[in-house]
Amino acid sequence: MARVESDVDDAKLTEDEVAEAGYAGLPGPQARRRWRRIERGKTWWRPEGGPRPEGRPPLRERLVPPYYPEFFRGAGWIMPLVVTFIGGFMRLWNLANPNKIIFDETYYAKDGWSMWVYGWEHNWQTSSAADPALAGSGGYGSQGTAKFASGAEYVVHPPIGKWIIGLGEKVWGLNPVGWRLSEAVLGTLAILILTRTARRMFRSTLIGVIAGLFLSFDGLSFVMARTGLLDGIQMFFVLAGFGALVVDRDKVREKAADWADEHLSGTPLLKGEHGPKFGLRPWRILAGFMLGCATATKWNAVFFVAAFAVLTILWDRGTRRALGLRNPSISTLRRDVGWAFLTLPVQMVVVFIASYAGWIFNTSNGGGYNRFWANSNPAAGFPDLPFSKQLTQWLVPDWLRSLWNYVHSEYQFNANLQSPHPYQSNPWSWLVMGRPVAFDYSSPKVGTDGCTAAMQSCSQEVLALGNPFLWWLATASIVYLLWLWIARRDWRSGAILCGIAAGVLPWMHYAERTIFSFYAVIFVPFMCLAAATSVGAIIGRADAPPVRRAWGAAVGGAIVVAIVGIFIYFYPIYTDQTISYSDWSSHMWFQSWI
């Protein structure tokens, strides 16, 4: 039988072996190049008489790996929903406590209501007068008193998050439950999205459930879901955008597999071929919308837009490389980069501007802050062109110039804020919860708020502290993820690291600014994914020996139980419960937590 030459360990491949590998008809040099490309890092053919490597899975299975067997029919939805119900119940239970405005709720509870009354943020009376008037029973329909002052308020964050907080107030009432309701609902939905996303990434319902449990029992995400701030809303949109991109990756690879079935007849090395056109990608469009909403909640989400845009392009390149295209980078540049730019950065800008619709169009009652700045600051125009004034107003209308000036002012404030604060922290300390923020602390007297004589001295606190064991495990897992990404080329590890890096590294540039550890809630889901990756590795593969699997399940289960137990231990200082001062002090493991 004729043979095809191969220079790998001086081995020889028969024509049947070449055909079996899917490269029938290729001349020797092409076969060698192809083997080097796709078998990099694997055991190659050995000399005559040596062991033969295992066959690679079919292309479709490599592009879209199958899911591991389910525990029972429908487990892929039932188990994530159960985890979501557990986390949601905790977030919604006794949401009115504490029955007052805490920390920065003094801004966003008022701004949210203003958005639905005026379409933009309105001034209120001083906090000492306005805040007590807002606290009510927390019951449905309970209305606090909105004590507006005159004029528009200068704010430093875009409107989407405040619209969402105001929606809860419109639905439930102007009371503590109202301005926390939307946060709690989105925090609950985030658990479902993370569980399903992790399941899709790892092809395992078990790993998805573990990731969902970690988010459910993380103290920082729990506290933020029960507090009327913007960061929890922003986290939801970032996670939803990431989850949509993961679904888009699967859908694209399914299309690529279909294309390969039709076009790859014996060899994928088609000269000049750039691979399939993936057409309309609704999941990536959804991702762009979600990331636009995240940026229209707080400006720092723009770093996630940039990071995820690069990520989805690299995924597309990986898909085209898996097809065997000769120049996957050029093919990706021609086929995918332009659409990725339109659906992510460009769509983000459109959503960001659209979020100011109330500020742009609702000019009654004097209009929003800085709305008519352009009227008193006419554009220089294009003096060398005819009709320069009309051309300038057509290209850059006054409302857009006013908006640009306002947004630029917001950015300058956020980038240069350096007012000292006792709870400010360095971004590196976020990974280990070095300096959590106390949203509320009080020392009730004996006979009030459940403080008994036996307690002697009492404390109440809402501390934005992540679950220490979870965060320490996730931080240690970053090293493992780096190894998986670099040595194993594991795309999941790269995606998780991308989310963590986009949440931490940009803040290093603003380290001199006054920043707080609760900003880290935006990348909590990626820390949960990192910890779930490690637990999954500890549990082991489904085809591992029974003894290895049993020990892995025992250790992995013990980690999950420990994380849940630590959350229960810290629960009183997450929810403003009255405890003795000595009990409170025992929860302060480090001086920096006080």
Side-chain angles (χ1 to χ4, degrees):
M1 180 178 293
R3 307 176 70 88
V4 176
E5 296 295 331
S6 172
D7 62 352
V8 180
D9 292 337
D10 297 325
K12 305 291 185 178
L13 295 180
T14 66
E15 287 182 345
D16 290 341
E17 288 169 340
V18 173
E20 180 183 353
Y23 305 109
L26 281 175
Q30 282 192 335
R32 290 196 295 273
R33 284 197 297 270
R34 183 61 184 160
W35 277 113
R36 285 176 179 145
R37 173 185 284 179
I38 66 177
E39 294 294 328
R40 188 180 295 124
K42 297 185 178 294
T43 302
W44 286 3
W45 297 108
R46 303 296 182 182
E48 298 279 355
R52 179 174 176 172
E54 297 180 1
R56 302 180 77 233
L59 178 60
R60 178 175 291 274
E61 188 172 324
R62 284 182 276 127
L63 286 171
V64 189
Y67 286 85
Y68 288 105
E70 298 284 15
F71 299 104
F72 52 86
R73 186 176 181 181
W77 274 106
I78 294 174
M79 294 182 70
L81 288 172
V82 169
V83 173
T84 303
F85 175 80
I86 294 171
F89 178 81
M90 294 190 301
R91 282 153 175 74
L92 291 165
W93 176 257
N94 199 20
L95 194 56
N97 186 48
N99 189 20
K100 58 184 177 181
I101 282 183
I102 61 173
F103 200 61
D104 282 355
E105 284 184 341
T106 188
Y107 304 117
Y108 305 119
K110 301 168 187 174
D111 289 345
W113 188 252
S114 297
M115 300 301 292
W116 288 85
V117 174
Y118 294 98
W120 33 266
E121 299 87 349
H122 200 283
N123 269 325
W124 290 61
Q125 295 180 17
T126 59
S127 297
S128 58
D131 288 4
L134 293 178
S137 66
Y140 178 75
S142 173
Q143 290 293 121
T145 302
K147 294 191 173 183
F148 288 111
S150 59
E153 181 185 6
Y154 173 68
V155 296
V156 294
H157 294 300
I160 284 287
K162 288 167 277 190
W163 278 108
I164 292 173
I165 291 173
L167 176 62
E169 294 171 327
K170 289 291 290 185
V171 170
W172 193 268
L174 187 57
N175 58 63
V177 174
W179 62 69
R180 297 168 188 161
L181 182 62
S182 295
E183 292 266 9
V185 170
L186 294 183
T188 300
L189 291 176
I191 298 171
L192 179 61
I193 293 174
L194 179 64
T195 306
R196 292 285 299 176
T197 299
R199 176 182 180 271
R200 182 176 289 273
M201 292 174 68
F202 293 93
R203 277 358 201 203
S204 169
T205 299
L206 176 61
I207 301 301
V209 167
I210 291 173
L213 284 172
F214 286 168
L215 185 60
S216 297
F217 290 96
D218 173 63
L220 180 59
S221 61
F222 175 78
V223 170
M224 297 303 293
R226 292 172 56 87
T227 309
L229 302 184
L230 301 178
D231 303 81
I233 298 172
Q234 185 187 41
M235 179 271 283
F236 168 81
F237 284 128
V238 168
L239 175 59
F242 176 76
L245 286 177
V246 172
V247 177
D248 173 73
R249 181 182 185 275
D250 268 6
K251 300 299 183 183
V252 162
R253 291 170 81 86
E254 289 174 1
K255 293 180 180 179
D258 294 338
W259 181 89
D261 291 341
E262 297 178 4
H263 292 77
L264 302 187
S265 55
T267 172
L269 291 173
L270 302 177
K271 187 175 182 180
E273 179 62 67
H274 293 293
K277 295 180 179 179
F278 296 127
L280 185 66
R281 298 170 64 167
W283 284 101
R284 193 160 71 178
I285 294 173
L286 176 63
F289 175 77
M290 289 296 178
L291 293 172
C293 289
T295 309
T297 298
K298 291 187 74 174
W299 66 271
N300 59 298
V302 70
F303 299 115
F304 284 87
V305 177
F308 289 167
V310 173
L311 189 65
T312 188
I313 291 171
L314 292 177
W315 286 350
D316 288 346
R317 183 192 178 278
T319 300
R320 297 187 183 279
R321 184 177 183 274
L323 291 175
L325 301 180
R326 184 168 301 204
N327 296 300
S329 298
I330 295 176
S331 301
T332 302
L333 182 64
R334 293 188 59 170
R335 290 273 198 261
D336 306 310
V337 171
W339 291 113
F341 181 74
L342 286 175
T343 52
L344 292 178
V346 172
Q347 188 178 190
M348 179 269 291
V349 172
V350 173
V351 173
F352 183 88
I353 294 175
S355 71
Y356 281 89
W359 183 90
I360 295 170
F361 297 108
N362 193 339
T363 57
S364 59
N365 300 300
Y369 186 88
N370 220 30
R371 172 61 181 84
F372 299 105
W373 172 87
N375 291 359
S376 54
N377 294 271
F382 304 94
D384 295 332
L385 297 177
F387 307 104
S388 62
K389 183 176 181 180
Q390 293 84 345
L391 182 62
T392 302
Q393 291 179 342
W394 180 74
L395 292 175
V396 189
D398 286 350
W399 67 265
L400 185 57
R401 292 198 301 114
S402 296
L403 179 60
W404 173 259
N405 177 267
Y406 192 14
V407 170
H408 181 262
S409 173
E410 291 176 350
Y411 172 77
Q412 290 298 322
F413 177 91
N414 281 289
N416 299 302
L417 177 64
Q418 295 185 359
S419 302
H421 194 284
Y423 286 107
Q424 68 186 68
S425 59
N426 187 286
W428 287 118
S429 69
W430 299 352
L431 296 175
V432 293
M433 291 288 104
R435 182 59 171 162
V437 179
F439 284 176
D440 184 57
Y441 180 85
S442 59
S443 302
K445 296 180 179 179
V446 174
T448 63
D449 293 330
C451 183
T452 64
M455 295 180 179
Q456 297 181 349
S457 179
C458 299
S459 294
Q460 290 179 320
E461 185 172 29
V462 177
L463 184 65
L465 171 70
N467 188 310
F469 191 15
L470 171 62
W471 279 78
W472 296 342
L473 172 63
T475 301
S477 299
I478 292 175
V479 178
Y480 175 56
L481 291 174
L482 283 169
W483 178 79
L484 286 177
W485 181 44
I486 296 172
R488 295 288 185 87
R489 300 185 180 182
D490 187 284
W491 71 271
R492 299 164 300 187
S493 301
I496 296 168
L497 290 170
C498 179
I500 295 174
V504 176
L505 296 183
W507 285 111
M508 298 304 299
H509 178 69
Y510 300 97
E512 299 300 321
R513 178 196 185 276
T514 306
I515 51 181
F516 303 94
S517 62
F518 66 84
Y519 295 173
V521 73
I522 193 172
F523 63 91
V524 164
F526 300 96
M527 297 296 281
C528 294
L529 287 171
T533 303
S534 293
V535 173
I538 291 171
I539 294 173
R541 293 172 56 91
D543 57 358
V547 174
R548 163 69 178 85
R549 187 75 169 173
W551 277 104
V555 175
I559 292 174
V560 175
V561 170
I563 288 173
V564 173
I566 289 177
F567 174 85
I568 295 172
Y569 173 74
F570 283 104
Y571 185 80
I573 63 172
Y574 290 149
T575 55
D576 207 49
Q577 293 186 13
T578 300
I579 57 177
S580 67
Y581 178 80
S582 60
D583 190 12
W584 173 85
S585 181
S586 68
H587 286 77
M588 300 296 106
W589 291 356
F590 303 99
Q591 184 67 26
S592 63
W593 288 9
I594 299 176

